[in-house]
C-alpha cells in the first residue's frame, strides 16, 4: 500500500519537514496537513478533552484534516511537559474515531541520528544511514537559515516603504527552499535571499518602538494560534523580537541551560519547566536592553508559563517595562486581542513621547 506521510503545522517549519521527508522517502507521498483554518481548531477542539492545552487541539485538527485527505502515516514529536503525552492520547482519539493509520512517535529524550534512522527504516526508507545523515544536516541548516531570516523580517517588516515587499520576498524564499536538495545549493540560496532581504527599502527610525515576545513555544511560533500578533505589531511600526525558535529549542537551549537560569538573575532560583525559565530570562534581558514593552503569550492553562508570570510582573516593576499578557484557547476572541494590542501600542507611544 502506498504510504502517505503527514505531520502537524507550526509556523513555516512545514517547509524543511516536507523537504526532509521527500528526500528520505522517495517512493512515498508526503502530504503536509492542510493549512490551519478556524475549521482545524473547531475539529481539534470537538474531539479533544476540554481542559487540554490548545496546541494539542491544533495538532489533532491537523491530523483529522490530513487523514481526510488520505494520509495513512502520521508523525508526532514529543517533548517535556504535557507535550510528552500528546502522541498517545491523540493516537487513541483518532483510532476511536475509526481512522486507520500508522502513528510514529518521536520522543525528544530518545532522539539521536541512530534512533531516528531506525524509525525511518521502519516506515520504509530505502536510503543508507550515510545518505540519511547528509539529508539531516541539510535540513538542520535550512531550519537555522529560516530562523535567522525570519528574525530579520520580524525586526524590519514594520518599516517597509513598499507595501508587502517583505511578505512577497518571504513567500518566494520559502518556495525556493522547497526545491533545495544539496548543501551547496542551500548556501547559494541563502546568500542570494539574505542580500535581497537586506536590500529591501525600509524607513526605520533609530528610536522606534521595540517589543519582545516571550512565552510558550507553540503559541509563539504558530501565527494562527496567536492571531498573527507579529503582523499586527508590525502594522503599528514596531520592531518585534522573539527568541524561541526551533533552532533555539533543538540546539541552543540545552547547551545554554545553566546560562539561561543564571540570566534570569534574582527572579529564578530553579528551572520552572518547558519554556517558563526562558520567558523569565528573556524578559529580564530584553528589559535590560531597553525594550519598550514585553508581550507574554501562552495557551490557557499552561502551567510553566503561569509560573513565569509573577517573575515577569517583578521584572515589569523593577525595570519599569509594561508587560501585556495573552492566554489563548479555542474560545479566544480575535477582536479582544486586537483591541488590547491597540491599547498597548497607544500606551507605549505615550510613554515614549514622555
Ligand atoms: S508547555 Fe504549556 S502548552 Fe506546552 S505542553 Fe506544557 S502545558 Fe501544554
Amino acid at each position: 500500500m502506498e504510504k502517505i506521510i503527514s505531520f502537524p503545522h507550526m509556523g513555516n517549519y512545514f517547509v524543511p519537514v516536507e523537504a526532509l521527508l521527500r528526500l528520505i522517502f522517495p517512493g512515498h507521498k508526503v502530504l503536509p496537513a492542510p493549512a490551519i483554518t478556524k475549521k482545524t481548531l473547531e475539529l481539534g477542539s470537538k474531539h479533544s478533552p476540554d481542559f487540554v492545552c490548545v496546541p494539542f487541539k491544533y495538532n489533532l485538527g491537523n491530523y483529522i484534516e490530513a487523514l481526510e485527505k488520505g494520509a495513512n502515516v502520521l508523525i508526532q514529536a514529543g517533548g517535556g511537559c504535557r507535550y510528552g503525552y500528546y502522541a498517545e492520547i491523540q493516537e487513541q482519539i483518532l483510532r476511536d474515531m475509526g481512522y486507520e493509520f500508522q502513528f510514529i512517535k518521536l520522543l525528544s529524550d530518545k532522539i539521536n541520528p541512530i534512533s531516528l534512522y531506525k524509525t525511518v527504516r521502519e516506515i520504509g526508507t530505502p536510503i543508507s544511514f550515510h545518505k540519511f545523515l547528509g539529508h539531516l544536516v541539510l535540513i538542520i541548516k535550512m531550519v537555522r537559515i529560516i530562523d535567522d531570516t525570519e528574525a530579520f523580517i520580524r525586526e524590519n517588516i514594520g518599516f517597509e516603504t513598499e507595501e508587502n515587499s517583505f511578505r512577497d520576498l518571504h513567500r518566494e524564499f520559502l518556495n525556493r527552499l522547497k526545491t533545495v536538495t544539496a548543501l551547496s545549493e542551500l548556501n547559494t540560496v541563502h546568500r542570494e535571499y539574505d542580500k535581497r532581504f537586506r536590500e529591501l527599502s525600509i524607513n526605520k527610525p533609530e528610536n522606534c518602538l521595540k517589543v519582545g515576545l516571550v512565552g510558550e513555544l507553540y503559541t509563539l511560533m504558530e501565527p494562527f494560534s496567536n492571531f498573527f500578533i507579529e503582523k499586527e505589531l508590525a502594522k503599528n511600526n514596531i520592531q518585534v523580537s522573539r527568541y524561541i525558535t526551533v533552532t533555539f529549542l533543538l540546539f541552543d537551549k540545552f547547551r545554554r541551560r545553566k546560562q539561561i537560569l543564571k540570566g534570569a538573575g534574582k527572579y529564578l532560583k530553579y528551572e520552572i519547566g518547558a519554556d517558563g525559565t526562558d520567558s523569565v530570562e528573556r524578559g529580564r534581558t530584553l528589559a535590560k536592553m531597553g525594550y519598550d514593552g514585553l508581550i507574554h503569550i501562552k495557551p490557557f492553562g499552561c502551567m510553566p508559563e503561569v509560573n513565569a508570570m509573577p517573575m515577569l510582573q517583578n521584572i515589569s516593576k523593577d525595570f519599569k517595562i509594561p508587560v501585556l499578557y495573552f492566554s489563548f484557547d479555542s474560545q479566544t476572541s480575535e477582536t479582544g486581542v486586537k483591541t488590547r494590542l491597540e491599547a498597548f501600542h497607544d500606551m507605549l507611544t505615550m510613554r515614549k513621547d514622555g
Side-chain angles (χ1 to χ4, degrees), residues 56 63 76-78 82-94 103-107:
F56 181 100
Y63 287 138
Q76 175 62 289
R82 295 184 215 169
Y83 189 31
Y85 304 105
Y86 278 18
E88 272 78 7
I89 304 168
Q90 285 165 340
E91 181 180 5
Q92 196 53 55
I93 292 172
L94 294 170
F103 202 70
I104 308 295
K105 298 162 201 159
L106 303 172
L107 295 177

Side-chain angles (χ1 to χ4, degrees), residues 187-352:
N187 290 334
T188 311
V189 171
H190 181 206
R191 270 197 304 275
E192 180 197 330
Y193 281 89
D194 189 51
K195 185 165 175 276
R196 287 178 63 189
F197 272 114
R198 283 169 206 281
E199 280 170 1
L200 288 177
S201 162
I202 53 170
N203 181 12
K204 187 173 176 181
E206 204 143 290
N207 66 341
C208 64
L209 283 178
K210 294 190 186 84
V211 167
L213 299 184
V214 297
E216 184 273 337
L217 70 97
Y218 184 90
T219 40
L220 274 176
M221 293 195 282
E222 173 45 60
F224 195 96
S225 75
N226 60 39
F227 297 90
F228 300 89
I229 203 164
E230 293 178 3
K231 213 164 144 192
E232 288 301 317
L233 291 167
K235 276 189 206 161
N236 285 317
N237 310 109
I238 296 176
Q239 172 183 315
V240 181
S241 302
R242 120 157 105 81
Y243 297 88
I244 297 270
T245 60
V246 167
T247 304
F248 170 77
L249 294 167
L250 286 186
F251 307 104
D252 305 341
K253 180 170 172 150
F254 187 71
R255 193 171 38 85
R256 293 187 54 235
R257 232 168 142 170
K258 280 191 184 149
Q259 264 169 281
I260 291 172
L261 184 59
K262 209 168 154 208
K266 67 174 183 180
Y267 302 98
L268 272 187
K269 213 167 166 187
Y270 306 101
E271 290 190 26
I272 52 174
D275 311 311
T277 313
D278 309 316
S279 296
V280 177
E281 185 267 340
R282 261 309 113 186
R284 177 176 180 251
T285 305
L286 293 170
K288 274 169 76 181
M289 284 164 71
Y291 269 59
D292 299 287
L294 296 174
I295 299 182
H296 179 250
I297 296 176
K298 71 172 195 314
F300 175 74
C302 172
M303 279 318 289
E305 294 303 329
V306 170
N307 288 340
M309 287 169 73
M311 282 66 101
L312 286 170
Q313 309 259 41
N314 290 340
I315 290 170
S316 171
K317 253 188 264 155
D318 294 349
F319 289 89
K320 311 223 173 330
I321 180 171
V323 185
L324 178 62
Y325 299 93
F326 280 114
S327 200
F328 294 109
D329 70 4
S330 45
Q331 309 297 327
T332 308
S333 134
E334 184 174 358
T335 321
V337 173
K338 285 191 174 165
T339 311
R340 291 184 63 207
L341 275 177
E342 268 169 40
F344 189 63
H345 168 245
D346 290 347
M347 188 257 290
L348 293 185
T349 311
M350 281 191 271
R351 274 172 59 98
K352 193 115 184 156

Side-chain angles (χ1 to χ4, degrees), residues 8 20 47 70 80 96 108 148 175 190 238 245 293 312:
L20 177 65
H47 298 283
D96 289 348
S108 64
D148 290 349
N175 281 332
H190 181 206
I238 296 176
T245 60
L312 286 170

